[in-house]
């Protein structure tokens, strides 16, 4: 029997009954993280305008309920879903997926993105003017939102641009006096009344002269290109707790209600050349990284690493997603994921069908598809343990060919220059890896306890980057998947562990190993409910949200109001 909460009527008045979800089944996909985390909620509310979002937030603040902001729900650490049921006042999840909108400003050199705008949508808007966003197709999360990336300092695969970052945002904050205030640091003159400001912004009702230059504030991390070149530094290039990239909305992790961000765009790179490298000697990749970062005039566009095991898991358990993206494009993925959620919801209602029905169906479908990987990639998989995909600017192609011919012309290493189709397939194969690990868990539930997913940044001077697990840690691990952004020394390390393993205890043992290596973690997926926020990061959260009403408990911080321990 469904029991109404006093807030339900208010929410229905604001957004309409259709967009207030209260039943356990209909809210399940909003309350459950993509990879981890689930909990209860008073309601899931889906506002259809920025003004509706403001009014819903006001109602939540007045009722003193916990607010969890959610965009695409593609995060890997559970940071945009409840984790358990012990939240002060109960949880309201506010989903911003209906709040689409992208405004080009300053001739398209910058954009203003609303909460529901996705990376794919931003990419599509910029194509006609020959520009591209900070990040392209997500390295781990397909369908991710632009604002979600900023709030989590997501890094992405493009070497030259660093983490998603801006100092220009429009957001709501809850002060020490428990009042919700709208803060306009967007650099656009929109007036003073909150609802008037939000209506004008959403409609794009502002003139070019209303958009200020804001030359003293950043709309991306301009220093990263030089920062990543410091190959002898004992500090990682980028990680979530790096104070360089914590500023209001940037890194806010749900501790603000973000209505819009303003970001730089970039000239679209043309004529890039992609090389596929393989080796059994990881020092070869180390030497190449140091040579390119120190001696080349231009940085690589991208450099993505995969270990053979990750290659194999993505090959078998990411095949259907690879085919869906290649044939349908990323624009169809939200529809695909929504259908997947409906199938699983229907299956849960009829329990005899078993869990993860959609995954099992998609896996069977994938087996019927023809081989999806180019023959030369198959050959390199059989020959080499370590794989690297390097995309270079056209201006550096000749120099790259020369360096590769010198360094990779031995029996233990080789390379080939990709055709456009091979390049597309190589990067797409790399990008489906994280989802493939989740699929493996779903298909092998009787054997798998969980995935221990680590997201680490190694010091820039690291030479021995390949991890070797001691026997007492390796024994419960079925598969270790290593992949990541090689030139930034950011790695995703997914461990599929056997049934009966204490995954949390195993993860904490791995943290100790990472500390000994000088690693920072998480690198780009944020703390969520898997990592502990370091003191400076926790202090940043306290400054943004002194009442601790927004997304309390992330980073293993307290969930109590006003941060009472």
């Amino acid at each position: 029997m469904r029991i109404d909460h006093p807030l339900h009527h208010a929410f229905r008045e604001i957004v309409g009954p259709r967009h207030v979800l209260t039943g356990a089944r209909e809210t399940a996909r909003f309350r459950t993280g993509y990879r981890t985390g689930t909990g209860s909620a008073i309601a899931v509310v889906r506002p259809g305008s920025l003004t509706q979002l403001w009014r819903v937030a006001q109602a939540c603040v007045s009722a003193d309920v916990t607010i969890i902001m959610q965009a695409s729900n593609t995060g890997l650490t559970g940071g945009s879903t409840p984790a358990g049921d012990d939240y002060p006042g109960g949880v309201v999840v506010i989903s911003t997926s209906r709040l689409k909108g992208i405004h080009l400003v300053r001739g398209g050199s910058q954009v203003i993105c609303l909460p529901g705008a996705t990376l794919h949508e931003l990419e599509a808007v910029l194509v006609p003017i020959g520009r591209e966003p900070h990040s392209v197709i997500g390295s781990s999360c397909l369908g991710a939102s632009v604002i979600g990336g900023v709030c989590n300092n997501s890094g992405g695969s493009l070497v030259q641009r660093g983490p998603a970052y801006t100092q220009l945002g429009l957001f709501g904050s809850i002060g020490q006096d428990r009042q919700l205030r709208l803060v306009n640091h967007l650099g656009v003159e929109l007036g003073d009344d909150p609802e008037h400001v939000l209506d004008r912004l959403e409609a794009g009702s502002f003139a070019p002269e209303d958009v200020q230059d804001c030359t003293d504030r950043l709309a991306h991390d301009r220093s990263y290109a030089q920062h990543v070149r410091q190959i002898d530094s004992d500090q990682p290039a980028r990680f979530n707790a790096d104070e360089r990239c914590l500023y209001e909305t940037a890194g806010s992790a749900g501790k603000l209600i973000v209505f819009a961000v303003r970001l730089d765009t970039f000239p679209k790179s043309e004529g890039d050349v992609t090389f596929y490298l393989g080796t059994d000697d990881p020092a070869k990749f180390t030497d190449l990284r140091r040579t390119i970062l120190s001696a080349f005039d231009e940085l690589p566009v991208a450099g993505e690493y995969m270990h053979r095991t990750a290659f194999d898991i993505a090959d078998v358990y990411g095949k259907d997603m690879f085919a869906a993206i290649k044939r349908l494009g990323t624009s169809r993925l939200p529809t695909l994921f929504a259908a997947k959620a409906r199938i699983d919801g229907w299956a849960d209602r009829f329990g005899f069908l078993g869990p993860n029905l959609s995954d099992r169906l998609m896996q069977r479908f994938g087996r019927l598809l023809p081989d999806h990987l180019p023959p030369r990639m198959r050959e390199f998989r059989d020959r080499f343990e370590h794989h690297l995909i390097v995309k270079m600017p056209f201006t550096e192609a000749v120099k790259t060919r020369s360096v590769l011919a010198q360094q990779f012309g031995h029996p233990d290493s080789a390379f080939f220059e990709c055709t456009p189709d091979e390049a597309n397939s190589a990067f797409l194969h790399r990008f489906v890896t994280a989802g493939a690990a989740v699929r493996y868990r779903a298909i092998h539930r009787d054997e798998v306890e969980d995935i221990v997913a680590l997201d680490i940044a190694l010091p820039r001077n690291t030479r021995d980057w390949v991890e070797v697990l001691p026997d007492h840690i390796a024994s419960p691990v079925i598969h270790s998947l290593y992949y990541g952004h090689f030139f930034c020394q950011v790695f995703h390390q997914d461990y599929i562990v056997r049934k009966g393993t204490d995954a949390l205890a195993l993860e904490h043992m791995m943290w100790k190993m990472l500390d000994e290596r000088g690693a920072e973690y998480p690198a780009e997926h944020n703390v969520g409910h898997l990592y502990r926020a370091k003191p400076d990061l926790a202090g940043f959260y306290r400054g943004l949200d002194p009442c601790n009403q927004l997304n309390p408990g992330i980073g293993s911080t307290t969930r109590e109001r006003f941060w009472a321990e």
Side-chain angles (χ1 to χ4, degrees):
M1 180 178 176
R2 182 176 298 180
I3 300 175
D4 265 6
H5 186 279
L7 276 173
H8 291 171
H9 176 73
F11 291 155
R12 291 177 184 129
E13 286 289 311
I14 296 169
V15 305
R18 179 183 174 191
H19 299 295
V20 181
L21 312 180
T22 58
R25 288 194 180 98
E26 62 184 352
T27 61
R29 68 188 179 100
F30 299 92
R31 295 184 294 103
T32 304
Y34 173 70
R35 179 179 273 176
T36 186
T38 188
S40 61
I42 295 168
V44 174
V45 188
R46 304 178 66 236
S49 71
L50 295 183
T51 297
Q52 287 183 3
L53 172 56
W54 173 256
R55 292 174 180 172
V56 168
Q58 283 185 314
C60 291
V61 172
S62 297
D64 194 31
V65 298
T66 291
I67 303 169
I68 294 181
M69 300 298 300
Q70 184 183 102
S72 300
N73 194 14
T74 57
L76 300 185
T77 59
S80 59
T81 53
D85 307 321
D86 56 335
Y87 286 87
V91 169
V92 172
V93 177
I94 303 179
S95 170
T96 63
S97 59
R98 296 176 63 213
L99 301 177
K100 304 292 187 182
I102 298 169
H103 301 302
L104 299 178
V105 295
R106 304 189 66 75
S109 64
Q110 292 185 325
V111 290
I112 295 173
C113 295
L114 303 191
T118 66
L119 284 174
H120 171 79
E121 290 162 348
L122 178 54
E123 232 181 314
V125 165
L126 293 175
V127 164
I129 61 172
R131 298 186 73 84
E132 61 185 13
H134 164 273
S135 299
V136 291
I137 184 173
S139 65
S140 301
C141 307
L142 303 167
S145 70
V146 177
I147 282 182
V150 172
C151 292
N152 291 299
N153 286 142
S154 299
S157 62
L158 301 181
V159 178
Q160 304 162 6
R161 298 177 193 171
Y165 181 72
T166 185
Q167 296 176 346
L168 301 168
L170 177 68
F171 54 89
S173 65
I174 304 172
Q176 190 82 20
D177 58 358
R178 294 179 180 257
Q179 296 298 307
L180 177 66
R181 293 177 176 81
L182 187 67
V183 179
N184 183 3
H185 289 169
L186 200 60
V188 182
E189 178 54 52
L190 296 165
D192 298 314
D193 177 72
E195 294 196 3
H196 180 65
V197 167
L198 296 172
D199 286 341
R200 282 189 65 192
L201 177 64
E202 187 162 15
S205 298
F206 51 87
E209 55 268 25
D210 294 325
V211 181
Q212 300 157 7
D213 287 345
C214 297
T215 54
D216 59 332
R217 285 187 282 158
L218 303 178
H220 83 279
D221 183 2
R222 298 176 191 164
S223 65
Y224 188 76
Q226 290 303 314
H227 184 71
V228 75
R229 285 185 183 271
Q230 296 171 17
I231 57 175
D232 293 318
S233 171
D234 61 1
Q235 297 296 313
R238 54 181 170 91
F239 54 98
N240 286 128
D242 187 354
E243 63 179 11
R244 292 175 60 254
C245 292
L246 297 176
Y247 188 92
E248 295 183 342
T249 59
S252 57
K255 305 301 286 183
L256 297 172
I257 299 169
V258 184
F259 293 91
V261 294
R262 179 173 158 188
L263 298 161
D264 289 332
T265 68
F266 303 85
K268 187 171 179 59
S269 183
E270 299 289 353
D272 298 334
V273 181
T274 299
F275 301 90
Y276 196 99
L277 288 64
T279 188
D280 288 325
D281 179 6
K284 295 277 189 181
F285 286 170
T286 302
D287 292 341
L288 178 67
R289 171 181 169 270
R290 292 179 65 86
T291 296
I292 290 178
L293 292 183
S294 63
F296 278 46
D297 293 332
E298 292 191 60
L299 289 172
V301 177
E304 294 295 300
Y305 168 77
M306 287 184 79
H307 183 266
R308 180 187 277 156
T309 303
F311 185 110
D312 291 345
I313 296 295
D315 185 14
V316 176
Y317 296 93
K319 184 178 181 181
D320 57 289
M321 187 56 65
F322 179 106
I325 297 170
K326 195 161 189 178
R327 297 181 185 184
L328 302 177
T330 55
S331 61
R332 303 287 182 90
L333 289 181
T335 302
L336 180 63
F337 288 141
K340 183 179 183 297
R342 283 194 295 271
I343 291 171
D344 286 337
W346 177 77
D348 288 343
R349 193 174 303 174
F350 303 96
F352 66 89
L353 294 171
N356 306 114
L357 177 62
S358 64
D359 282 299
R360 289 184 280 119
L361 291 174
M362 292 171 71
Q363 187 63 24
R364 289 181 182 179
F365 170 71
R367 291 173 183 166
L368 301 176
L369 296 172
D371 190 6
H372 60 300
L373 295 180
R376 290 201 287 185
M377 283 180 63
R378 289 273 179 221
E379 177 197 351
F380 269 48
R381 181 265 164 220
D382 293 337
R383 290 175 61 187
F384 303 116
E385 182 179 2
H386 304 282
H387 299 244
L388 183 63
I389 314 157
V390 180
K391 181 186 286 190
M392 296 298 296
F394 175 77
T395 52
E396 297 286 7
V398 173
K399 189 172 182 178
T400 305
R401 292 186 190 105
S402 175
V403 169
L404 293 179
Q406 294 172 19
Q407 297 186 6
F408 286 79
H410 306 282
D412 64 352
S413 58
F415 76 96
F416 64 85
E417 190 169 327
C418 296
T419 66
D421 182 67
E422 286 174 329
N424 182 43
S425 294
F427 280 109
L428 189 49
H429 183 60
R430 154 66 186 89
F431 290 147
V432 300
T433 308
V438 176
R439 172 68 58 76
Y440 186 101
R441 178 180 62 182
I443 300 300
H444 299 281
R445 291 189 69 87
D446 293 339
E447 306 164 27
V448 176
E449 181 67 32
D450 207 347
I451 300 169
V452 174
L454 298 179
D455 166 35
I456 74 164
L458 294 176
R460 281 164 282 174
N461 63 358
T462 299
R463 291 180 181 268
D464 297 326
W465 49 272
V466 176
E467 180 179 75
V468 179
L469 294 175
D471 290 343
H472 71 285
I473 293 180
S475 58
V477 177
I478 301 172
H479 295 295
S480 298
L481 280 62
Y482 298 104
Y483 54 102
H485 314 305
F486 187 70
F487 288 90
C488 300
Q489 290 286 274
V490 168
F491 295 93
H492 307 302
Q493 302 181 172
D494 297 343
Y495 308 91
I496 301 171
V497 299
R498 299 184 195 284
K499 203 74 173 177
T501 302
D502 185 337
L504 185 60
L506 185 66
E507 181 173 356
H508 289 176
M509 285 191 284
M510 291 176 172
W511 286 357
K512 185 176 180 181
M513 290 177 54
L514 294 175
D515 291 339
E516 292 170 353
R517 299 175 71 191
E520 291 281 357
Y521 51 92
E524 59 180 5
H525 291 157
N526 225 328
V527 289
H529 295 288
L530 294 183
Y531 298 92
R532 293 192 183 102
K534 291 192 171 183
D536 287 348
L537 183 59
F540 175 67
Y541 294 155
R542 283 194 295 271
L544 295 179
D545 180 24
C547 289
N548 202 25
Q549 190 171 352
L550 288 156
N551 208 9
I554 55 165
S556 298
T557 58
T558 180
R559 298 186 181 188
E560 297 302 316
R561 290 287 184 264
F562 297 98
W563 300 86
E565 296 296 341

